[in-house]
Amino acid sequence: MKTDVIHVSSSGKGMNEALAQAEAAANYKSLSKKDAIRMRLLAEELLGMFRSIAGKTEADFWVEDDNKSFELHLISDTQMTTDKRKKLISVSTKGENAAAKGVMGKLRDLFAKAVEPDDDNSPSYFMGGWMAPNLGSSSMPVMGEVGAELWSLNQYKLSLKNKQENKEEWDELEKSIVASIADEVKIYIRGENTEMVIFKKFD
Protein backbone atom coordinates (compact mmCIF):
# COMPACT_ATOMS: atom_id res chain seq x y z
CA MET A 1 0.00 0.00 0.00
CA LYS A 2 1.08 3.55 -0.70
CA THR A 3 -0.46 6.51 1.08
CA ASP A 4 -1.40 9.78 -0.56
CA VAL A 5 1.63 11.83 -1.59
CA ILE A 6 1.81 15.06 0.41
CA HIS A 7 3.74 18.06 -0.89
CA VAL A 8 5.70 19.65 1.95
CA SER A 9 7.87 22.71 2.30
CA SER A 10 10.74 23.49 4.66
CA SER A 11 8.63 26.51 5.64
CA GLY A 12 6.18 24.08 7.28
CA LYS A 13 3.52 23.72 4.59
CA GLY A 14 1.96 20.26 4.45
CA MET A 15 3.66 18.96 7.61
CA ASN A 16 0.45 18.21 9.52
CA GLU A 17 -1.06 16.46 6.49
CA ALA A 18 2.09 14.37 6.09
CA LEU A 19 2.00 13.27 9.72
CA ALA A 20 -1.66 12.35 9.26
CA GLN A 21 -0.67 10.02 6.41
CA ALA A 22 1.87 8.26 8.65
CA GLU A 23 -0.81 7.80 11.30
CA ALA A 24 -3.28 6.55 8.69
CA ALA A 25 -0.76 3.93 7.51
CA ALA A 26 -0.26 2.75 11.09
CA ASN A 27 -4.01 2.50 11.65
CA TYR A 28 -4.62 0.72 8.36
CA LYS A 29 -2.16 -2.01 9.36
CA SER A 30 -3.59 -2.17 12.89
CA LEU A 31 -0.27 -1.42 14.58
CA SER A 32 -0.23 -1.51 18.37
CA LYS A 33 -0.42 1.83 20.18
CA LYS A 34 3.32 1.61 20.94
CA ASP A 35 4.25 0.89 17.32
CA ALA A 36 1.90 3.60 16.04
CA ILE A 37 3.72 6.08 18.29
CA ARG A 38 7.05 4.88 16.89
CA MET A 39 5.77 5.40 13.36
CA ARG A 40 4.67 8.92 14.27
CA LEU A 41 8.06 9.66 15.85
CA LEU A 42 9.92 8.53 12.73
CA ALA A 43 7.73 10.75 10.56
CA GLU A 44 8.21 13.69 12.93
CA GLU A 45 11.98 13.26 12.89
CA LEU A 46 12.11 13.00 9.09
CA LEU A 47 9.89 16.04 8.56
CA GLY A 48 11.62 17.97 11.36
CA MET A 49 14.96 17.37 9.67
CA PHE A 50 13.52 18.65 6.40
CA ARG A 51 11.97 21.72 8.02
CA SER A 52 15.34 22.68 9.52
CA ILE A 53 16.91 23.07 6.06
CA ALA A 54 17.72 26.72 5.43
CA GLY A 55 15.88 28.50 2.65
CA LYS A 56 12.74 27.34 0.85
CA THR A 57 12.94 23.70 -0.18
CA GLU A 58 10.01 21.55 -1.27
CA ALA A 59 9.54 17.79 -1.35
CA ASP A 60 6.98 15.00 -1.55
CA PHE A 61 6.29 12.70 1.41
CA TRP A 62 4.53 9.35 1.51
CA VAL A 63 4.54 6.00 3.26
CA GLU A 64 4.66 2.56 1.64
CA ASP A 65 4.15 -0.77 3.33
CA ASP A 66 4.40 -4.46 2.59
CA ASN A 67 2.62 -6.30 5.38
CA LYS A 68 4.22 -4.56 8.40
CA SER A 69 7.41 -3.44 6.67
CA PHE A 70 7.19 0.32 6.27
CA GLU A 71 9.11 2.88 4.25
CA LEU A 72 8.81 6.62 4.89
CA HIS A 73 9.82 8.51 1.76
CA LEU A 74 10.88 12.13 1.31
CA ILE A 75 11.91 13.13 -2.21
CA SER A 76 13.02 16.49 -3.57
CA ASP A 77 14.31 17.83 -6.89
CA THR A 78 18.08 17.86 -7.31
CA GLN A 79 20.32 20.08 -9.40
CA MET A 80 23.17 17.57 -9.65
CA THR A 81 26.52 18.61 -11.11
CA THR A 82 29.81 16.79 -11.49
CA ASP A 83 31.47 18.91 -8.80
CA LYS A 84 28.58 18.41 -6.36
CA ARG A 85 28.57 14.68 -7.06
CA LYS A 86 32.24 14.43 -6.06
CA LYS A 87 31.64 16.38 -2.86
CA LEU A 88 28.64 14.25 -1.90
CA ILE A 89 30.51 11.00 -2.49
CA SER A 90 33.39 12.31 -0.37
CA VAL A 91 30.96 12.87 2.51
CA SER A 92 28.99 9.66 2.06
CA THR A 93 31.96 7.30 1.83
CA LYS A 94 33.18 8.59 5.18
CA GLY A 95 29.71 8.06 6.60
CA GLU A 96 29.78 11.37 8.45
CA ASN A 97 30.11 15.12 8.20
CA ALA A 98 32.12 16.67 11.00
CA ALA A 99 30.38 20.02 10.58
CA ALA A 100 26.95 18.60 11.36
CA LYS A 101 25.97 17.62 14.91
CA GLY A 102 23.69 14.70 15.67
CA VAL A 103 22.45 12.02 13.31
CA MET A 104 19.56 14.07 11.93
CA GLY A 105 21.88 17.06 11.63
CA LYS A 106 24.20 15.00 9.43
CA LEU A 107 21.28 13.81 7.34
CA ARG A 108 19.93 17.35 7.01
CA ASP A 109 23.35 18.57 5.91
CA LEU A 110 23.77 15.83 3.31
CA PHE A 111 20.21 16.15 2.00
CA ALA A 112 20.50 19.93 1.77
CA LYS A 113 23.79 19.72 -0.13
CA ALA A 114 22.13 17.41 -2.64
CA VAL A 115 19.12 19.63 -3.35
CA GLU A 116 20.65 23.11 -3.25
CA PRO A 117 21.60 24.84 -6.54
CA ASP A 118 25.25 24.77 -7.60
CA ASP A 119 27.11 27.49 -9.51
CA ASP A 120 29.91 25.48 -11.11
CA ASN A 121 28.04 25.26 -14.46
CA SER A 122 29.02 21.62 -14.89
CA PRO A 123 26.52 19.50 -16.86
CA SER A 124 23.92 17.53 -14.91
CA TYR A 125 25.28 14.05 -14.22
CA PHE A 126 23.58 10.74 -13.65
CA MET A 127 24.38 7.53 -15.47
CA GLY A 128 22.60 4.48 -13.96
CA GLY A 129 24.26 2.36 -11.30
CA TRP A 130 25.95 3.40 -8.10
CA MET A 131 27.27 6.92 -7.71
CA ALA A 132 29.04 5.74 -4.56
CA PRO A 133 30.12 2.26 -3.44
CA ASN A 134 27.35 0.07 -2.05
CA LEU A 135 27.47 1.20 1.57
CA GLY A 136 25.55 -1.72 2.99
CA SER A 137 22.12 -3.06 2.18
CA SER A 138 18.88 -3.01 4.07
CA SER A 139 16.94 -6.17 4.77
CA MET A 140 14.09 -4.30 3.10
CA PRO A 141 15.19 -2.85 -0.25
CA VAL A 142 13.38 0.20 -1.56
CA MET A 143 10.18 -0.93 -3.23
CA GLY A 144 10.25 -0.48 -6.98
CA GLU A 145 13.01 1.64 -8.44
CA VAL A 146 16.70 0.99 -7.83
CA GLY A 147 18.77 4.13 -7.36
CA ALA A 148 22.24 5.31 -6.49
CA GLU A 149 22.78 4.92 -2.79
CA LEU A 150 24.57 7.84 -1.20
CA TRP A 151 24.36 7.33 2.58
CA SER A 152 23.43 4.45 4.87
CA LEU A 153 22.72 4.63 8.60
CA ASN A 154 23.81 1.03 9.12
CA GLN A 155 27.09 1.67 7.32
CA TYR A 156 27.56 4.77 9.46
CA LYS A 157 27.10 2.64 12.58
CA LEU A 158 29.68 0.16 11.33
CA SER A 159 32.16 2.94 10.63
CA LEU A 160 31.94 4.11 14.26
CA LYS A 161 31.84 0.76 16.03
CA ASN A 162 34.83 -0.11 18.21
CA LYS A 163 36.60 3.16 17.47
CA GLN A 164 37.34 5.16 20.61
CA GLU A 165 38.07 8.32 18.64
CA ASN A 166 34.43 8.30 17.47
CA LYS A 167 32.94 8.14 20.97
CA GLU A 168 31.15 11.46 20.57
CA GLU A 169 29.50 10.34 17.33
CA TRP A 170 28.53 7.01 18.91
CA ASP A 171 26.94 8.86 21.83
CA GLU A 172 24.95 10.89 19.30
CA LEU A 173 23.72 7.67 17.74
CA GLU A 174 22.55 6.30 21.07
CA LYS A 175 20.59 9.49 21.73
CA SER A 176 18.99 9.58 18.28
CA ILE A 177 15.31 8.62 18.08
CA VAL A 178 15.70 7.59 14.45
CA ALA A 179 18.84 5.52 15.05
CA SER A 180 17.20 3.70 17.96
CA ILE A 181 13.89 2.96 16.20
CA ALA A 182 14.59 2.68 12.47
CA ASP A 183 16.01 -0.47 10.89
CA GLU A 184 17.83 1.61 8.27
CA VAL A 185 17.93 5.10 6.78
CA LYS A 186 19.26 5.73 3.30
CA ILE A 187 19.73 8.70 1.01
CA TYR A 188 19.53 8.07 -2.73
CA ILE A 189 20.10 10.05 -5.90
CA ARG A 190 17.56 8.96 -8.50
CA GLY A 191 17.79 10.84 -11.77
CA GLU A 192 16.94 14.43 -10.89
CA ASN A 193 15.76 13.65 -7.38
CA THR A 194 17.27 13.24 -3.94
CA GLU A 195 15.37 10.83 -1.73
CA MET A 196 15.62 9.90 1.93
CA VAL A 197 13.95 6.68 3.05
CA ILE A 198 13.43 5.43 6.60
CA PHE A 199 12.86 1.68 6.88
CA LYS A 200 11.03 0.02 9.79
CA LYS A 201 9.59 -3.47 10.14
CA PHE A 202 7.15 -4.00 13.01
CA ASP A 203 6.44 -7.45 14.48
Side-chain angles (χ1 to χ4, degrees):
M1 183 197 80
K2 178 178 179 179
T3 66
D4 293 342
V5 177
I6 305 299
H7 193 69
V8 298
S9 169
S10 56
S11 65
K13 180 182 177 181
M15 294 291 172
N16 289 335
E17 292 86 349
L19 289 173
Q21 289 301 306
E23 292 180 340
N27 291 334
Y28 182 75
K29 287 298 182 178
S30 301
L31 295 185
S32 67
K33 183 177 180 180
K34 181 179 180 180
D35 287 343
I37 290 173
R38 288 176 175 173
M39 172 79 88
R40 166 91 185 197
L41 285 172
L42 289 174
E44 286 178 346
E45 287 290 301
L46 177 60
L47 294 167
M49 174 282 305
F50 181 68
R51 190 167 185 177
S52 66
I53 293 175
K56 185 177 180 181
T57 306
E58 299 183 346
D60 288 330
F61 170 89
W62 71 91
V63 179
E64 292 184 39
D65 74 85
D66 181 4
N67 195 10
K68 290 191 177 181
S69 296
F70 291 85
E71 298 174 5
L72 287 74
H73 293 253
L74 184 71
I75 187 167
S76 185
D77 290 341
T78 302
Q79 297 188 33
M80 182 57 59
T81 64
T82 301
D83 183 58
K84 182 185 289 186
R85 173 178 173 270
K86 291 177 180 178
K87 291 176 182 177
L88 286 170
I89 290 175
S90 174
V91 173
S92 66
T93 53
K94 294 176 184 176
E96 64 177 316
N97 184 340
K101 296 298 183 181
V103 176
M104 297 312 289
K106 290 177 171 63
L107 290 177
R108 178 199 64 229
D109 188 71
L110 186 56
F111 196 87
K113 280 183 169 60
V115 300
E116 67 189 6
D118 200 304
D119 297 325
D120 65 1
N121 295 318
S122 298
S124 179
Y125 180 93
F126 184 85
M127 300 294 290
W130 300 100
M131 287 175 59
N134 189 340
L135 302 180
S137 59
S138 165
S139 59
M140 296 180 290
V142 174
M143 299 167 188
E145 183 178 358
V146 175
E149 180 180 307
L150 188 62
W151 195 91
S152 160
L153 176 62
N154 287 342
Q155 176 61 26
Y156 178 56
K157 289 179 180 178
L158 286 175
S159 73
L160 299 181
K161 199 171 184 179
N162 300 322
K163 293 183 179 179
Q164 289 298 319
E165 64 269 25
N166 292 320
K167 186 179 184 304
E168 181 179 351
E169 285 85 355
W170 188 259
D171 288 344
E172 289 176 349
L173 270 177
E174 292 183 330
K175 295 174 183 176
S176 168
I177 292 174
V178 168
S180 63
I181 298 177
D183 295 326
E184 171 68 297
V185 180
K186 290 186 177 182
I187 295 180
Y188 298 85
I189 297 293
R190 289 192 174 91
E192 297 179 351
N193 302 114
T194 298
E195 182 171 16
M196 187 182 299
V197 185
I198 295 180
F199 302 84
K200 178 61 181 179
K201 183 174 182 178
F202 295 101
D203 297 329

